[in-house]
């Protein structure tokens, strides 16, 4: 009898930590969550990943060492999951480990996730499936977003739904009533918010949008941010990341904005509205019949952002936790499912999402 237990690991664009789940895929559309762990990213490792997003000295060695450190953190999360569930490594079919994206340029034919899957397999005694994006990119796709096939398996219900993931970058999965699946990135979610609040207050993030709530959205600046970036006007399929939306992007636009610069907290409120406006615009253009929006990722915990989204979107907006799927574990659960899909030969790279020439089975396997 084939094993049905899979581990999923995710460390996203926000680089704030590792989320890990152990799930039972006896019923793939209804995975049973057996254990979960969230570990903070050590500050030195976080700083290194952020630095690796731009050109620098000795990048190959630094990336290799960062991958080793991430694999060690992943292994620690896996061992904590096993302890929680009182399970042994021999009971687990595979680990789905995404790694940390540091460069993503599908137009040039590459995407780079720093990882050390062989090290993770060695430290855990469990097979590891990694490198989920490159096969789709090689097939002419964006290699992102990766999760719409999983969202369909978990959330399809016979009516039109949008699944909105608010990590560092925002992406949507559009599920229509007839079973169709589309998906794409809409723009920045937490990445610019975190950069600005850290630069101005030293805090890692704006908890619950409280600082943004002390300010007001500056409409001229919001319009300038949207109008000055051609990526927002691109038609799907499309994907993005820190290669585009980073401190340089924000600093240049604040410098070039042809009016008095707003107060710091007003800029935070404006960046929060930028996330909401770009999501709402994407839904209005590409899924105007959306009946409800299910939100996951760390941004779902930001009540200020959730209020902005509900204000702009003419459909109910609610967190995935309302459906008993914790908002911060959806992506880790998705990578457990992607490992399951790889093991079962099920394509998860979808042309309707990424623009690839054909569906592809994603990931490469490193045996235990």
């Amino acid at each position: 009898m084939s094993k049905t237990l899979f581990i999923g690991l995710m460390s996203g664009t926000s680089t704030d930590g590792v989320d890990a789940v152990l799930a039972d895929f006896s019923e793939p559309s209804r995975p049973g969550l057996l254990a979960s762990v969230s570990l903070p990213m050590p500050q030195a490792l976080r700083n290194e990943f952020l630095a690796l997003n731009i050109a620098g000295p000795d990048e190959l060695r630094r990336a290799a060492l960062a991958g080793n450190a991430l694999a060690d953190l992943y292994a620690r999360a896996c061992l904590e999951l096993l302890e929680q569930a009182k399970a042994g490594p021999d009971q687990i079919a595979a680990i789905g480990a995404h790694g940390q994206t540091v460069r993503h340029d599908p137009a040039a034919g590459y995407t780079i996730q720093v990882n050390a899957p062989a090290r993770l397999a060695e430290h855990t005694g469990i097979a590891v499936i990694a490198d989920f994006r490159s096969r789709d990119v090689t097939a002419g796709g964006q290699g992102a977003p990766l999760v719409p096939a999983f969202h369909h398996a978990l959330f399809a219900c016979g009516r039109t739904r949008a699944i909105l993931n608010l990590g560092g970058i925002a992406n949507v999965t559009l599920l229509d009533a007839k079973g169709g699946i589309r998906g794409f990135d809409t723009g920045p979610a937490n990445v610019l918010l975190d950069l600005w609040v850290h630069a101005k207050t030293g805090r890692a993030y704006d908890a619950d949008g409280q600082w943004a709530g002390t300010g007001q959205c500056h409409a001229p600046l919001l319009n300038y941010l949207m109008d000055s970036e051609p990526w927002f006007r691109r038609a799907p399929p499309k994907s993005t990341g820190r290669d585009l939306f980073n401190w340089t992007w924000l600093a240049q636009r604040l410098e070039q904005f042809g009016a008095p610069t707003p107060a710091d907290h007003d800029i935070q409120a404006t960046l929060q509205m930028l996330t909401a406006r770009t999501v709402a615009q994407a839904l209005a253009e590409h899924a105007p019949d959306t009946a409800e929006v299910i939100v996951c990722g760390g941004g779902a915990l930001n009540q200020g952002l959730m209020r902005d989204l509900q204000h702009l979107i003419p459909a109910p907006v609610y967190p995935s936790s309302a459906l008993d799927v914790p908002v911060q574990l959806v992506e880790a659960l998705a990578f457990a499912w992607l490992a399951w899909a790889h093991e079962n030969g099920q394509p998860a790279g979808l042309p309707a999402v990424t623009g690839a020439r054909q569906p592809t089975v994603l990931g490469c396997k490193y045996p235990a």
Side-chain angles (χ1 to χ4, degrees):
M1 185 175 180
S2 61
K3 298 174 185 176
T4 61
L5 303 186
F6 289 81
I7 288 174
L9 300 168
M10 182 60 185
S11 50
T13 311
S14 296
T15 64
D16 54 352
V18 171
D19 294 319
V21 300
L22 172 60
D24 185 353
F25 286 87
S26 299
E27 293 183 58
S29 63
R30 297 174 181 270
L33 186 61
L34 304 181
S36 65
V37 169
S38 292
L39 299 178
M41 181 84 71
Q43 190 62 48
L45 183 57
R46 182 175 193 266
N47 291 343
E48 185 66 292
F49 281 131
L50 293 175
L52 286 167
N53 277 271
I54 58 175
D58 204 14
E59 288 177 300
L60 295 179
R61 178 179 182 277
R62 288 167 48 216
L65 293 176
N68 286 347
L70 181 62
D72 292 346
L73 188 61
Y74 280 169
R76 181 179 147 205
C78 291
L79 296 176
E80 290 193 22
L81 288 173
L82 296 178
E83 184 177 350
Q84 251 188 62
K86 302 200 176 343
D90 59 326
Q91 295 175 263
I92 312 302
I95 298 167
H98 177 250
Q100 190 71 39
T101 300
V102 294
R103 306 290 172 89
H104 183 69
D105 191 352
Y110 75 90
T111 182
I112 300 174
Q113 285 71 50
V114 173
N115 201 355
R119 185 182 182 95
L120 179 58
E122 178 68 22
H123 286 347
T124 60
I126 302 170
V128 175
I129 298 168
D131 190 21
F132 288 99
R133 297 186 189 273
S134 62
R135 178 64 191 276
D136 185 85
V137 170
T138 302
Q142 291 285 307
L146 287 173
V147 295
F150 166 71
H151 286 161
H152 180 265
L154 192 64
F155 294 115
C157 66
R159 62 180 179 272
T160 303
R161 275 177 163 174
I163 316 302
L164 170 63
N165 177 59
L166 296 173
I169 299 297
N171 57 72
V172 291
T173 298
L174 308 177
L175 306 175
D176 67 37
K178 297 180 179 179
I181 312 170
R182 294 176 291 153
F184 53 92
D185 289 353
T186 63
N190 297 317
V191 60
L192 298 180
L193 291 168
D194 292 351
L195 285 171
W196 187 251
V197 75
H198 181 69
K200 297 301 174 179
T201 72
R203 298 194 293 269
Y205 62 96
D206 185 13
D208 209 22
Q210 291 182 3
W211 191 44
T214 66
Q216 292 186 331
C217 175
H218 191 278
L221 176 59
L222 175 63
N223 292 335
Y224 178 74
L225 294 175
M226 294 190 67
D227 293 345
S228 65
E229 179 46 64
W231 188 90
F232 291 130
R233 297 186 290 278
R234 280 181 51 189
K238 62 180 182 176
S239 60
T240 189
R242 286 186 184 270
D243 302 69
L244 176 60
F245 294 108
N246 51 38
W247 179 258
T248 299
W249 186 93
L250 180 58
Q252 287 179 345
R253 277 157 178 78
L254 292 176
E255 183 179 347
Q256 294 165 1
F257 180 55
T261 302
D264 291 345
H265 60 311
D266 292 334
I267 292 175
Q268 186 74 5
T270 304
L271 293 174
Q272 182 174 285
M273 186 61 74
L274 175 68
T275 294
R277 179 72 64 83
T278 48
V279 169
Q281 179 176 286
L283 292 176
E285 290 181 5
H286 302 289
D289 57 344
T290 296
E292 56 190 354
V293 180
I294 302 167
V295 188
C296 55
L301 301 174
N302 182 333
Q303 292 305 306
L305 178 54
M306 292 291 282
R307 284 192 295 271
D308 286 345
L309 287 163
Q310 185 62 86
H311 176 71
L312 295 175
I313 297 172
V317 177
Y318 59 89
S320 64
S321 53
L323 300 176
D324 297 322
V325 185
V327 296
Q328 290 186 291
L329 298 181
V330 172
E331 281 202 295
L333 190 57
F335 281 93
W337 184 90
L338 285 165
W340 171 88
H342 177 95
E343 286 288 88
N344 288 273
Q346 178 165 323
L350 306 179
V353 173
T354 68
R357 290 183 290 274
Q358 72 274 332
T360 53
V361 175
L362 302 179
C364 296
K365 186 174 183 178
Y366 294 75

